[in-house]
Coordinates of all heavy atoms in Angstrom, one line a residue:
S935 N 3.0 5.0 -1.1 CA 2.2 5.6 -2.1 C 2.4 5.0 -3.5 O 1.4 4.8 -4.3 CB 2.5 7.1 -2.2 OG 2.2 7.7 -0.9
D958 N -2.7 10.5 4.1 CA -1.5 11.3 4.3 C -1.7 12.6 3.4 O -0.9 12.9 2.6 CB -0.3 10.5 3.8 CG 1.0 11.2 4.1 OD1 1.1 12.1 5.0 OD2 2.1 10.8 3.5
T963 N 0.5 12.6 -1.7 CA 1.1 11.9 -2.9 C 0.0 11.3 -3.7 O -0.1 11.5 -4.9 CB 2.1 10.9 -2.5 OG1 3.0 11.4 -1.6 CG2 2.9 10.4 -3.7
D1027 N -4.0 4.7 1.5 CA -2.6 5.0 1.6 C -2.4 5.8 2.9 O -3.0 6.8 3.2 CB -2.2 5.9 0.4 CG -0.7 6.2 0.4 OD1 0.1 5.4 1.0 OD2 -0.3 7.2 -0.2
Ligands
MG1896 MG1 3.4 8.4 0.7

Side-chain angles (χ1 to χ4, degrees):
S935 301
D958 192 13
T963 312
D1027 187 23

